[in-house]
Amino acid sequence: QVQLVESGGGLVQAGGSLRLSCAASGRTFSRYAMGWFRQAPGKEREFVAAISWSGDVTYYADSVKGRFTMSRDNAKNTVYLQMNSLKPEDTGVYYCAADPSSRTVVAHGGDYWGQGTQVTVSS
């Protein structure tokens, strides 16, 4: 069982930065690939980024490549999403997800989800 709690969302102007965190409970955190997804109002939830259990491999949606960086600290049971050069279209609720398989996380998230944190980018 893994419980996920996101934090770090907020209101920022276009061009600004935010750093999201996702803290996980459970002793097996280091065995899970992790991902970030987002959902804008009226739209379906979409993949943003993912990281392998070891942190060696990362995956990004084309829309965020070069602007967002995902990392993890297994000693702290936490993953991060550093978001730079934010755009209004990055607005949405950001969720983290966990699954033993990186492929599953990239495809549709996985077994565990957090409650989400709101990110609003003003123009």
Side-chain angles (χ1 to χ4, degrees):
Q1 188 79 8
V2 177
Q3 292 183 327
L4 305 173
V5 179
E6 302 95 335
S7 61
L11 174 64
V12 64
Q13 289 188 333
S17 297
L18 281 175
R19 189 194 195 200
L20 305 184
S21 299
C22 175
S25 64
R27 294 175 294 176
T28 59
F29 170 76
S30 62
R31 300 180 185 176
Y32 285 83
M34 302 292 294
W36 286 98
F37 286 71
R38 67 187 180 190
Q39 188 168 20
K43 295 187 177 181
E44 293 186 355
R45 187 159 54 189
E46 64 175 358
F47 169 75
V48 175
I51 191 166
S52 63
W53 63 269
S54 65
D56 290 346
V57 183
T58 52
Y59 311 83
Y60 297 98
D62 288 343
S63 59
V64 306
K65 280 182 182 176
R67 300 188 298 121
F68 290 11
T69 302
M70 186 171 184
S71 61
R72 67 188 296 159
D73 184 339
N74 286 343
K76 295 182 178 180
N77 281 13
T78 302
V79 295
Y80 306 97
L81 186 67
Q82 178 66 43
M83 306 187 294
N84 298 329
S85 302
L86 283 161
K87 304 176 181 180
E89 51 263 45
D90 294 317
T91 294
V93 179
Y94 282 68
Y95 301 89
C96 68
D99 195 273
S101 166
S102 293
R103 179 175 295 181
T104 298
V105 169
V106 172
H108 55 76
D111 292 339
Y112 304 102
W113 291 87
Q115 84 290 345
T117 185
Q118 176 70 46
V119 172
T120 304
V121 184
S122 63
S123 58

Short mmCIF file of all heavy atoms in Angstrom, two decimals, residues 22-24 29 73-80:
data_model
loop_
_atom_site.label_atom_id
_atom_site.label_comp_id
_atom_site.label_asym_id
_atom_site.label_seq_id
_atom_site.Cartn_x
_atom_site.Cartn_y
_atom_site.Cartn_z
N CYS A 22 5.79 15.27 -4.14
CA CYS A 22 4.86 14.18 -3.87
C CYS A 22 5.52 13.28 -2.84
O CYS A 22 6.52 12.61 -3.16
CB CYS A 22 4.52 13.42 -5.13
SG CYS A 22 3.48 11.96 -4.85
N ALA A 23 4.98 13.30 -1.63
CA ALA A 23 5.52 12.49 -0.55
C ALA A 23 4.76 11.18 -0.45
O ALA A 23 3.53 11.17 -0.48
CB ALA A 23 5.42 13.25 0.77
N ALA A 24 5.49 10.10 -0.36
CA ALA A 24 4.88 8.77 -0.32
C ALA A 24 5.10 8.10 1.02
O ALA A 24 6.16 8.25 1.63
CB ALA A 24 5.46 7.90 -1.43
N PHE A 29 8.68 2.34 -1.28
CA PHE A 29 8.63 3.45 -2.25
C PHE A 29 9.67 3.29 -3.34
O PHE A 29 9.41 3.54 -4.50
CB PHE A 29 8.85 4.77 -1.51
CG PHE A 29 9.04 5.95 -2.42
CD1 PHE A 29 7.96 6.52 -3.07
CD2 PHE A 29 10.30 6.50 -2.61
CE1 PHE A 29 8.13 7.62 -3.91
CE2 PHE A 29 10.48 7.58 -3.44
CZ PHE A 29 9.40 8.14 -4.09
N ASP A 73 13.94 11.38 -4.56
CA ASP A 73 14.86 11.16 -3.46
C ASP A 73 14.30 9.98 -2.68
O ASP A 73 13.37 10.15 -1.87
CB ASP A 73 14.97 12.41 -2.59
CG ASP A 73 16.00 12.27 -1.49
OD1 ASP A 73 16.35 11.12 -1.13
OD2 ASP A 73 16.45 13.30 -0.96
N ASN A 74 14.82 8.79 -2.92
CA ASN A 74 14.27 7.60 -2.28
C ASN A 74 14.50 7.59 -0.77
O ASN A 74 13.74 6.97 -0.04
CB ASN A 74 14.85 6.35 -2.92
CG ASN A 74 14.25 6.08 -4.30
OD1 ASN A 74 13.21 6.63 -4.66
ND2 ASN A 74 14.91 5.24 -5.08
N ALA A 75 15.51 8.29 -0.32
CA ALA A 75 15.75 8.37 1.12
C ALA A 75 14.66 9.17 1.82
O ALA A 75 14.37 8.95 3.00
CB ALA A 75 17.11 8.99 1.40
N LYS A 76 14.03 10.09 1.07
CA LYS A 76 12.97 10.92 1.63
C LYS A 76 11.59 10.49 1.16
O LYS A 76 10.60 11.16 1.47
CB LYS A 76 13.20 12.38 1.25
CG LYS A 76 14.46 12.98 1.86
CD LYS A 76 14.58 14.46 1.49
CE LYS A 76 15.83 15.06 2.14
NZ LYS A 76 15.98 16.50 1.80
N ASN A 77 11.53 9.41 0.37
CA ASN A 77 10.24 8.94 -0.15
C ASN A 77 9.49 10.05 -0.88
O ASN A 77 8.27 10.20 -0.72
CB ASN A 77 9.37 8.37 0.98
CG ASN A 77 9.75 6.96 1.37
OD1 ASN A 77 10.81 6.47 0.99
ND2 ASN A 77 8.91 6.31 2.14
N THR A 78 10.20 10.80 -1.69
CA THR A 78 9.60 11.97 -2.33
C THR A 78 10.05 12.07 -3.78
O THR A 78 11.21 11.79 -4.09
CB THR A 78 9.98 13.26 -1.57
OG1 THR A 78 9.56 13.15 -0.20
CG2 THR A 78 9.31 14.48 -2.20
N VAL A 79 9.10 12.47 -4.62
CA VAL A 79 9.43 12.84 -5.99
C VAL A 79 9.11 14.31 -6.18
O VAL A 79 8.28 14.88 -5.48
CB VAL A 79 8.68 11.99 -7.05
CG1 VAL A 79 9.13 10.54 -6.98
CG2 VAL A 79 7.18 12.11 -6.89
N TYR A 80 9.78 14.90 -7.15
CA TYR A 80 9.64 16.33 -7.41
C TYR A 80 9.36 16.57 -8.88
O TYR A 80 9.75 15.78 -9.74
CB TYR A 80 10.92 17.06 -7.01
CG TYR A 80 11.36 16.80 -5.60
CD1 TYR A 80 12.33 15.82 -5.31
CD2 TYR A 80 10.83 17.52 -4.53
CE1 TYR A 80 12.73 15.57 -4.02
CE2 TYR A 80 11.24 17.27 -3.23
CZ TYR A 80 12.18 16.30 -2.98
OH TYR A 80 12.58 16.05 -1.69
#
